[in-house]
Each structure stands twice: as C-alpha cells, then as structure tokens.
Amino acid sequence: MERLEALANELEPQAIVYVMDYTTTIHLHNIQFIKTSFPRSLLYIATTSVSIPLLHQAINIGVTNVYMFPFSPNDELDFADNLDSKTSIRCCTQSKKEDISSIRFSRDDPVSSLLDIVERDFVKGPSLQDLSDDIHLSPSRLCHMFKDYCGLTYSHYLLCRRLEEGERLLNDNKQSITTIAYSLGFANPSHFSRNFKEHFNLTPNAFAQGDRSVTLSNTYIRYQRLRAELLPADSYAIPERKPVKKHASF
C-alpha cells in the first residue's frame, strides 16, 4: 500500500478522495495530514458513517465535501459536477466517459504502515522507538493508535506473529525447537516454549510430536481475527488444527 509519507512527496493533485469507514483517531489524523500536505487540493471524504467529530474537523480544515459511501445517485452527480466546475477533471456518470486519473485515493494510515514493516521484519522485532521516525509519530502516540486500531498492544501483536511462524515451522517438523526459537528472535528456547504454552496451551515439543489439541488464548484469537481482516485472503490462512478449542467467545 502507498504510504502517506510517500504521498506527501508527490506533486499536488487537483483533487483527493479519502475513503474511510467509521471515525477513528487514525482517520482524523490522516485527513489532517493530507490537508496540510496538499492545502490547494480539493479534499473529498467518502465515509460509511458520518459523525460529529468528522464533520467538525472537515469544517475546520476546509474539506470540500463529505459523502456517504457508497455514493447515492444524487451524490455521484454532485461529486461529478463539483469536479467539472472546480477542476480540469472531467468526471461524468453513466454513458459519458470518466476521467479521474488526477484523483488520489488514500487508504493508508500509520498503523497499516507499521503492520507492513512488522510483516517484513517480525523476527528482528523493531521497537516503536525504532519506527517512530519512519512513521512520523512519537512512540507513545503510535502505541496508543495501535492499541485503539488493533485491540492489541504492539508487543502482543509482534509476539503472536512470531508464534504463528513458530507454529508453521513446528508443523513442518524440519528444525529443532532450539533452532526455531533462535531463528524467530526469542532470547532462548525456554522463552519460546513458555510463550507458546501460554497462547496454545500446548508445549512446542507436544506440537512437534503431532498433538494438535490446542487451546488458543484470548489474545491469540484477537490476533488471528485481526490478521484475517487486514490481510488479503490469498496471503493469510489460519493453520488447520484438530480440534481447536477456545477460552472464550466474542
């Protein structure tokens, strides 16, 4: 995904459409960031839910218009007329050809950028302090945003990502538990075994020997659901286990 900081380095477009779901601090931050980076661009917001905080910020920073998404026929015509009258972009509807090549669609946010980095480098496990300059937010701000967005702390997400990879490696049964522990960045095999047991209610040794009667912790259940929601279906699949038990339901 294109990152907001990369977007800020590009030439200023005539119009930007920011597509979002429910109002969160992340979305409000992104809208402010885009308007500050491109003060002369028309900024439209398409949202599945209009809220008072969103409208308040839209008015304060000069958002061109806020639409419910998906567009109703009337909103679609209004949006096209807006572009026709205020820019050189010809954005027509129905039988007329659409030309929206100058519009930027931004769906990225600091937490998504952080998740991308973790996915590439979860073994090293960069700290929030290490990442704060790249994300352009303070460690404390990034920590709060991550928790609000994901429902997990950054450290728990990172640990679960390592355990997920550990489960895959144990399932392959090609490496020793000691080798797996060190390859995933754990301080020692005991540290890996203790965390694996805590979140799977099963020791790595038992899992490696074929026992799949795991009992997932609540934290790991949240992690799995988060991964399934954030990553494309073809890039993430929850490993098959039989049977799978849970501590609690949500």
Side-chain angles (χ1 to χ4, degrees):
M1 292 187 297
E2 184 181 41
R3 297 180 183 174
L4 285 177
E5 58 265 31
L7 177 66
N9 294 326
E10 297 185 6
L11 295 176
E12 188 159 21
Q14 294 184 62
I16 299 171
V17 180
Y18 185 81
V19 184
M20 57 179 280
D21 46 18
Y22 297 100
T23 303
T24 65
T25 55
I26 294 174
H27 287 311
L28 295 179
H29 166 84
N30 291 346
I31 294 166
Q32 179 69 59
F33 180 88
I34 292 171
K35 192 60 181 176
T36 300
S37 300
F38 301 110
R40 292 185 298 276
S41 297
L42 300 180
L43 176 56
Y44 299 89
I45 298 174
T47 176
T48 59
S49 177
V50 176
S51 68
I52 297 301
L54 175 62
L55 293 177
H56 184 266
Q57 180 169 15
I59 293 171
N60 283 344
I61 67 176
V63 170
T64 307
N65 210 339
V66 177
Y67 295 102
M68 288 295 294
F69 185 79
F71 289 113
S72 68
N74 287 338
D75 283 346
E76 187 176 349
L77 288 172
D78 180 76
F79 175 62
D81 289 342
N82 227 280
L83 290 180
D84 284 343
S85 63
K86 296 182 180 180
T87 73
S88 62
I89 302 169
R90 302 280 72 82
C91 183
C92 302
T93 59
Q94 297 178 355
S95 61
K96 296 183 179 180
K97 183 179 179 180
E98 296 184 357
D99 179 8
I100 56 173
S101 58
S102 297
I103 304 176
R104 295 287 180 185
F105 287 86
S106 178
R107 295 173 179 267
D108 201 10
D109 54 64
V111 172
S112 293
S113 298
L114 177 57
L115 292 175
D116 288 342
I117 295 172
V118 170
E119 195 60 26
R120 295 194 302 267
D121 203 17
F122 62 86
V123 171
K124 181 180 177 182
S127 67
L128 291 178
Q129 181 65 56
D130 295 334
L131 297 171
S132 60
D133 290 339
D134 294 332
I135 306 297
H136 303 298
L137 288 173
S138 69
S140 60
R141 178 61 176 155
L142 195 54
C143 178
H144 288 305
M145 291 180 73
F146 192 95
K147 181 66 166 62
D148 290 343
Y149 186 88
C150 298
L152 292 172
T153 64
Y154 172 69
S155 60
H156 278 145
Y157 182 91
L158 187 60
L159 172 63
C160 288
R161 181 64 186 93
R162 287 171 168 170
L163 292 175
E164 180 189 3
E165 185 66 11
E167 181 186 9
R168 185 187 69 79
L169 294 173
L170 287 169
N171 193 55
D172 289 344
N173 203 25
K174 295 178 180 179
Q175 301 179 55
S176 69
I177 294 174
T178 297
T179 300
I180 291 173
Y182 286 123
S183 70
L184 293 176
F186 287 95
N188 51 61
S190 296
H191 186 215
F192 170 60
S193 296
R194 183 168 60 253
N195 281 284
F196 193 94
K197 178 70 162 58
E198 178 182 349
H199 291 284
F200 291 89
N201 199 34
L202 194 69
T203 66
N205 185 56
F207 190 91
Q209 292 177 359
D211 190 345
R212 296 297 183 268
S213 57
V214 301
T215 305
L216 301 180
S217 70
N218 290 339
T219 297
Y220 199 86
I221 292 171
R222 291 191 184 97
Y223 164 79
Q224 282 192 327
R225 291 182 176 177
L226 177 66
R227 295 269 290 168
E229 291 171 1
L230 294 180
L231 297 183
D234 59 354
S235 66
Y236 175 72
I238 297 175
E240 293 184 3
R241 311 182 188 93
K242 49 182 183 181
V244 176
K245 301 177 182 178
K246 300 177 181 180
H247 284 316
S249 58
F250 293 87

